[in-house]
Amino acid sequence: MQIEFESIAIDRGFTLHVAPTDKFKTTSIRLVLRRSLRADSHTQTAVIPFVLRRGTRELPTARDIARHLENLYGAEFAVDVNKIGETQNIELFLDVVNERFLPEELPLTEAALAFLGQVTLDPAIEDGVFRRDYVAQEAEALRRRIESLINNKPQYALNRLRQEMCSGEPFGLHKYGDVEQLRHVAPAELWAHYRHVLATSPVDVFVVGPVDPGQVAGWVREHLALPRGEVEMPPAVAVPDPAARTERLIFEEQPVQQGVLALGYRTGTRYPDDDYAALLMYNGLLGGFPHSKLFVNVRERASLAYFASSQLEASKGVLWVVAGIPVEKYEQALAIIREQVEAMGSGRFTDQELENTRKGLINGVLSAQDSPGRIIGGRLVGIVNGRVRPVQEVLAALRRVTRDDVVRVAARIRPDTVFFLRAPQAASGKEGH
Amino acid sequence: MGWRTLHSDLLQERVLYTKLDVGLEVFVMPRPGFHKRYAVFSTRYGSIDNRFRRPGSDAVTEVPDGIAHFLEHQLFEDEEGHVFDGFAALGASVNAYTSHTMTSYLFSTTDNFEQAFDRLLDFVQAPHFTPEGVRKEIGIIEQEIRMYEDQPRHRLALNLLQALYHVHPVRIDIAGTVDSIRRIDAETLYVCYDTFYHPSNMAVFVVGDVDPDTVLAQVEADVAGRGYSPRPAVERTYPDEPETVAQSRVEARLAAARPLYAVGFKDPVWAMSEAERLRAEVETSLVLSASLGRSSRLYQELYDADLIDDGFSARYQLGTNFGHTVIGGETQDPDALHARLLEGLERLREEGLDEGDLRRVQRQAVGEFVQMFNSLEFIANGFLYYHFLGGSLFGYLSELQAVTVDEANRRLREHFHPDRAAVSIVRPA
């Protein structure tokens, strides 16, 4: 049972994507404003959704909003900023219960769209701009969120790797903005930026649930009549010349019990490319699964780590490897990881590994169809990359990938940066075995 | 043996249940339309079960901390190598987790369900513990423990449990310690396995587009071939836990960005019946939503005073013989947060919640509960969790709707007693 989207043009650069289905207990709605990720605006863009969430003219406080949502049977309202490639997307999420499962009759889907209309078109303002207190609090909250990354060492290491490897590229910017700029976000400027964002961003609204597309389009036109100006399409990503780069090693010290080793690679293949499915296979073979080379060799054979895996950011064309290891085993772990990457390049993987990876990826693609959030997320990535890949197409492409395809993709993979988070030298190895 | 059918009118769903002669319980929830089929095989055995009498023995066996979790890792070893590979060949994704009170093995797959289900049934019932396997696992689990040690949140939570409880084993980290896991050997693993992995102590839950009778036939055929005989229940022994907290305050320093704060309220559920405990959980969850949820006055006050952020949470945790509320998050000023929070709760205990507050959070809870049923993982794991506590996930919803404002206020007054509170703080190193 496939879930298909129907796309309906609402206005200039404003598209509604509706997937009617009775499969879920919910109707999931997501509103996305797409921006290009740029150093001169990413901080302000990041603050916007969090300020919007604080209040509307009718529901001026977060508490009023929370009460309103409770009365809509625990409608789940969330906001976030999401980086896809070199775009920075403002996302508003709203999930409501499928009306069929309510103890009373309530038009929840229309109420949800009306609420999103209030949040985006009629936010709480003072003196014609965003409320000063909300802007100050939310900018500070984002600054702290970035600083609190350090509480999760693997995430912190990956973030530092991304920052170092892509410094000078938009991709190196943090999706929540710049910690210094976050101290100086002014309500009037933010308001002006928001009006600009609202008028010029491509807008996509996704609805997955037991709905009629025509009826939803009517509600969207009625409740979400966003102002439209000259639409600014975010440009494609920057791909640095691989020949111009040499591998860099970066060490950082903190009082940690475990070292975190993070390696960044340029893939030379991206989401829109025909070799995308082969790239997925490459990543799966290297470190996407418990049967993958990294897990088997770093964890099971060498007993060096609890986690050792790889992940792709295919919209940008980068791949990360991350492992938590004893600080004093850095050389050994690095050597094992590099050996696995080399093995991939020279086609040293068995047919069994290839087939297991193919099955695992197909399982992942189909399983994603059981989650409204992942259905919408997959569609969004396609839109951002200018190539929407229907599920059947991805499945067919995965079934076709050959060993040669994987080796061809592997030949384009270049090591770029190694980041190691370790304990200060004097303290390291004190409890080593 | 026939199925018993559990219905939920609100969810328009049913779960089929039966119990085999050897005591294994089987649940199936058909969910046509889903690609994924999900199965979980669980045992009532978690990190707190470290002292027990083996069936037919009077002597108390005491085992090293963290052994239930260690055993979970080691069941993935088989004679040919690694269990992961067998599932990978079927395109299935397999995993496991250990909590304070249960260990669960699970997989999900969109293809080859029957073969993968056979593998699950088989690897959980066919231990292969060896000295080499144990040695290898020590290195891996040591790194898992080190990973947790570097997480301020983990330290915060563990310290809080150690402050709340004097002797109850819930105060011991689920993974054990780097020292305790080095005392684990293959022989002790077999002792624990034989004690807790008997079908009478276990249950299977399958959810997805499956035929219940086929699932049951598979389980029956598998179990029939293993020669089990019925057995009395395992007798676990726990030390007597006082109602008071062990320590009212505990602080630590760690590489963290900002201070982290948690307050816990201990709930002496061991003095309650099974039904009372489940009721306490439902009532406390509603009380917490009404008192400290986003729509509450107290949440708004603390947020506006810059004492809490988005990550602030308030939850009740119930186990078979322990229960406590944990409230907290990151904060600029843990001492100010503590003072304002306790003052706010004290005010609420005096004034009480009103009917409107309770009705709103009940509505919200119903909606959230229905939404959770999009997740097959939630369904299977949630069902077994409540079942092992003596309740039913479907029953949770009616319990929730039945709570009155008087009951909620009585719970508010009795549970949030300052004498039952302990505080854990982690400050940046």
Side-chain angles (χ1 to χ4, degrees):
Chain A
M1 189 162 72
Q2 296 305 322
I3 291 176
E4 309 280 357
F5 278 98
E6 179 179 334
S7 292
I8 301 170
I10 297 293
D11 202 338
R12 247 198 300 177
F14 183 163
T15 313
L16 170 67
H17 312 263
V18 187
T21 172
D22 216 9
K23 178 166 161 176
F24 304 111
K25 304 286 182 202
T26 50
T27 299
S28 298
I29 303 171
R30 196 184 304 186
L31 185 155
V32 184
L33 300 167
R34 294 188 280 127
R35 306 293 301 166
S36 83
L37 181 61
R38 295 162 51 125
D40 60 1
S41 61
H42 77 303
T43 301
Q44 290 197 326
T45 299
V47 179
I48 287 171
F50 298 95
V51 171
L52 291 178
R53 187 183 55 167
R54 291 299 300 274
T56 70
R57 190 167 49 83
E58 257 182 63
L59 304 164
T61 68
R63 189 177 180 209
D64 296 323
I65 287 184
R67 287 176 170 240
H68 181 69
L69 296 170
E70 282 169 357
N71 281 323
L72 297 180
Y73 275 91
E76 292 265 324
F77 175 47
V79 305
D80 207 350
V81 184
N82 185 8
K83 175 161 71 173
I84 302 175
E86 287 174 345
T87 67
Q88 184 190 23
N89 306 289
I90 293 173
E91 302 194 22
L92 308 180
F93 307 77
L94 196 60
D95 279 13
V96 292
V97 174
N98 179 338
E99 284 99 334
R100 196 153 64 86
F101 302 108
L102 290 183
E104 60 179 312
E105 269 194 41
L106 266 183
L108 276 187
T109 304
E110 186 183 3
L113 288 164
F115 172 73
L116 283 181
Q118 262 193 63
V119 169
T120 47
L121 291 167
D122 204 5
I125 54 175
E126 64 184 4
D127 305 327
V129 301
F130 282 128
R131 280 178 54 161
R132 177 168 299 277
D133 52 347
Y134 288 177
V135 173
Q137 284 170 356
E138 296 307 320
E140 176 61 12
L142 282 188
R143 201 185 60 74
R144 289 176 187 161
R145 251 169 107 155
I146 296 171
E147 292 191 335
S148 291
L149 266 176
I150 196 174
N151 292 357
N152 181 330
K153 305 299 185 273
Q155 284 305 319
Y156 174 81
L158 275 177
N159 186 56
R160 289 282 297 117
L161 171 65
R162 195 182 284 128
Q163 215 174 31
E164 292 286 346
M165 176 162 143
C166 300
S167 69
E169 296 165 59
F171 194 74
L173 299 170
H174 198 282
K175 65 176 185 170
Y176 290 144
D178 173 86
V179 282
E180 272 316 303
Q181 287 175 21
L182 280 165
R183 294 182 193 276
H184 310 288
V185 179
E189 284 166 35
L190 187 65
W191 179 255
H193 181 59
Y194 177 54
R195 300 308 300 177
H196 179 71
V197 164
L198 211 48
T200 61
S201 306
V203 180
D204 296 277
V205 171
F206 302 86
V207 180
V208 175
V211 293
D212 170 66
Q215 194 175 32
V216 173
W219 290 333
V220 168
R221 288 196 176 94
E222 184 184 343
H223 299 294
L224 272 168
L226 305 183
R228 295 277 74 196
E230 199 66 41
V231 176
E232 298 170 357
M233 291 306 287
V237 299
V239 180
D241 176 11
R245 300 190 65 91
T246 47
E247 198 177 17
R248 291 169 66 209
L249 289 176
I250 295 155
F251 295 94
E252 189 171 306
E253 295 186 351
Q254 287 196 16
V256 288
Q257 297 291 322
Q258 180 177 73
V260 182
L261 181 54
L263 292 83
Y265 294 82
R266 305 272 177 182
T267 58
T269 304
R270 292 182 48 248
Y271 184 92
D273 301 336
D274 289 336
D275 269 341
Y276 171 63
L279 179 64
L280 287 177
M281 289 285 282
Y282 175 92
N283 178 59
L285 279 157
L286 178 65
F289 298 95
H291 69 259
S292 305
K293 289 190 176 297
L294 291 173
F295 190 93
V296 168
N297 290 288
V298 181
R299 172 172 152 146
E300 294 300 320
R301 293 219 173 107
S303 195
L304 279 184
Y306 171 66
F307 62 91
S309 65
S310 66
Q311 59 197 71
L312 269 179
E313 293 199 28
S315 299
K316 169 67 178 171
V318 291
L319 179 144
W320 315 124
V321 169
V322 61
I325 57 166
V327 169
E328 70 279 9
K329 298 289 172 66
Y330 164 78
E331 299 288 345
Q332 190 192 348
L334 188 62
I336 296 174
I337 291 169
R338 284 182 166 153
E339 217 176 281
Q340 306 319 307
V341 174
E342 277 158 29
M344 290 299 304
S346 50
R348 272 181 282 134
F349 48 84
T350 63
D351 288 343
Q352 176 88 45
E353 285 175 84
L354 190 74
E355 291 317 309
N356 289 358
T357 300
R358 191 192 314 277
K359 287 176 189 157
L361 289 168
I362 289 170
N363 186 40
V365 169
L366 284 172
S367 296
Q369 295 299 300
D370 291 342
S371 151
R374 291 176 69 190
I375 291 170
I376 293 171
R379 176 89 175 180
L380 176 60
V381 168
I383 291 170
V384 168
N385 280 289
R387 177 167 179 179
V388 172
R389 294 172 180 275
V391 173
Q392 290 308 331
E393 185 191 311
V394 178
L395 293 175
L398 282 171
R399 290 192 182 107
R400 275 195 310 267
V401 174
T402 63
R403 160 181 295 278
D404 290 347
D405 294 335
V406 177
V407 174
R408 184 177 64 249
V409 160
R412 289 196 288 263
I413 302 227
R414 296 269 181 278
D416 191 299
T417 304
V418 177
F419 179 88
F420 188 46
L421 178 67
R422 63 183 180 191
Q425 293 293 332
S428 73
K430 67 178 181 206
E431 291 181 74
H433 54 275
Chain B
M1 188 155 315
W3 291 111
R4 224 180 87 206
T5 308
L6 316 167
H7 280 283
S8 167
D9 293 338
L10 181 73
L11 292 164
Q12 300 165 33
E13 296 288 357
R14 70 196 168 107
V15 168
L16 304 178
Y17 166 83
T18 193
K19 190 171 182 173
L20 308 187
D21 290 338
V22 286
L24 182 67
E25 298 177 292
V26 182
F27 298 83
V28 181
M29 182 174 190
R31 284 299 288 269
F34 277 71
H35 294 280
K36 191 161 55 184
R37 273 147 281 184
Y38 182 87
V40 54
F41 193 0
S42 299
T43 170
R44 295 168 175 88
Y45 173 48
S47 63
I48 66 169
D49 301 308
N50 56 359
R51 298 175 82 235
F52 49 87
R53 285 192 182 83
R54 302 170 68 179
S57 164
D58 284 339
V60 172
T61 302
E62 200 166 341
V63 292
D65 295 343
I67 196 166
H69 170 257
F70 200 100
L71 195 163
E72 172 232 296
H73 274 239
Q74 283 279 283
L75 267 193
F76 282 87
E77 301 285 321
D78 63 22
E79 280 175 50
E80 293 123 60
H82 213 282
V83 163
F84 281 121
D85 295 331
F87 282 90
L90 298 169
S93 170
V94 64
N95 213 333
Y97 64 90
T98 306
S99 74
H100 288 119
T101 54
M102 62 197 278
T103 310
S104 296
Y105 302 83
L106 52 97
F107 74 88
S108 78
T109 190
T110 54
D111 201 6
N112 302 314
F113 172 79
E114 287 181 25
Q115 288 152 281
F117 189 46
D118 264 338
R119 281 200 175 265
L120 175 74
L121 294 172
D122 185 64
F123 92 83
V124 174
Q125 295 179 91
H128 181 67
F129 306 137
T130 61
E132 304 76 57
V134 169
R135 255 198 305 282
K136 181 209 76 173
E137 212 65 61
I138 286 173
I140 295 172
I141 295 179
E142 173 169 341
Q143 286 310 309
E144 187 177 1
I145 293 170
R146 298 287 187 212
M147 177 184 79
Y148 293 131
E149 283 175 349
D150 282 337
Q151 294 173 358
R153 273 173 200 288
H154 185 80
R155 176 72 68 85
L156 182 80
L158 187 62
N159 281 359
L160 182 66
L161 290 177
Q162 297 186 344
L164 284 172
Y165 294 91
H166 295 258
V167 287
H168 192 286
V170 70
R171 71 196 302 282
I172 299 163
D173 198 5
I174 291 169
T177 66
V178 168
D179 290 330
S180 75
I181 60 168
R182 292 201 174 125
R183 295 200 304 272
I184 292 172
D185 56 27
E187 194 190 336
T188 320
L189 287 172
Y190 277 114
V191 168
C192 292
Y193 184 87
D194 292 339
T195 307
F196 293 103
Y197 283 71
H198 186 272
S200 58
N201 196 43
M202 303 179 76
V204 173
F205 198 109
V206 176
V207 56
D209 197 352
V210 293
D211 172 46
D213 293 332
T214 311
V215 169
L216 181 57
Q218 241 184 303
V219 178
E220 280 174 331
D222 182 280
V223 172
R226 294 183 192 271
Y228 290 113
S229 44
R231 207 181 68 176
V234 184
E235 196 192 325
R236 300 151 163 92
T237 65
Y238 299 104
D240 288 330
E241 176 65 31
E243 291 193 3
T244 57
V245 300
Q247 224 181 321
S248 59
R249 189 181 177 94
V250 54
E251 295 211 15
R253 287 193 181 270
L254 218 62
R258 298 197 293 146
L260 287 93
Y261 163 90
V263 62
F265 290 89
K266 186 174 179 178
D267 197 8
V269 297
W270 48 91
M272 299 180 190
S273 72
E274 220 164 61
E276 284 168 343
R277 277 204 287 272
L278 290 160
R279 187 76 180 176
E281 189 203 14
V282 170
E283 288 174 3
T284 315
S285 300
L286 285 172
V287 167
L288 287 171
S289 290
S291 321
L292 284 162
R294 283 174 171 273
S295 69
S296 68
R297 186 172 133 201
L298 190 49
Y299 180 96
Q300 181 91 14
E301 281 175 11
L302 296 172
Y303 195 97
D304 288 342
D306 195 25
L307 289 172
I308 61 171
D309 64 21
D310 234 18
F312 181 79
S313 70
R315 287 196 191 93
Y316 185 72
Q317 295 176 341
L318 180 66
T320 38
N321 59 2
F322 61 88
H324 48 259
T325 286
V326 179
I327 303 169
E330 283 185 37
T331 182
Q332 291 301 102
D333 187 343
D335 298 299
L337 174 56
H338 183 62
R340 291 280 291 270
L341 187 60
L342 287 208
E343 194 184 291
L345 286 172
E346 215 33 53
R347 187 180 68 208
L348 276 166
R349 290 173 81 213
E350 279 161 32
E351 295 170 0
L353 299 165
D354 67 44
E355 183 88 30
D357 290 335
L358 184 70
R359 292 291 156 247
R360 254 195 359 266
V361 296
Q362 271 170 324
R363 252 180 171 223
Q364 179 195 29
V366 169
E368 281 175 355
F369 185 82
V370 174
Q371 294 187 33
M372 295 302 283
F373 275 77
N374 273 353
S375 160
L376 304 189
E377 293 83 352
F378 166 81
I379 293 168
N381 292 293
F383 240 99
L384 289 186
Y385 168 77
Y386 277 103
H387 180 68
F388 284 180
L389 285 172
S392 154
L393 191 62
F394 282 168
Y396 185 85
L397 198 57
S398 34
E399 292 256 349
L400 194 128
Q401 287 170 301
V403 174
T404 67
V405 72
D406 289 342
E407 288 166 336
N409 280 321
R410 197 180 57 226
R411 184 66 188 154
L412 172 66
R413 290 187 183 109
E414 93 189 356
H415 181 52
F416 295 98
H417 199 284
D419 291 350
R420 299 258 176 79
V423 180
S424 168
I425 294 170
V426 172
R427 296 183 197 271

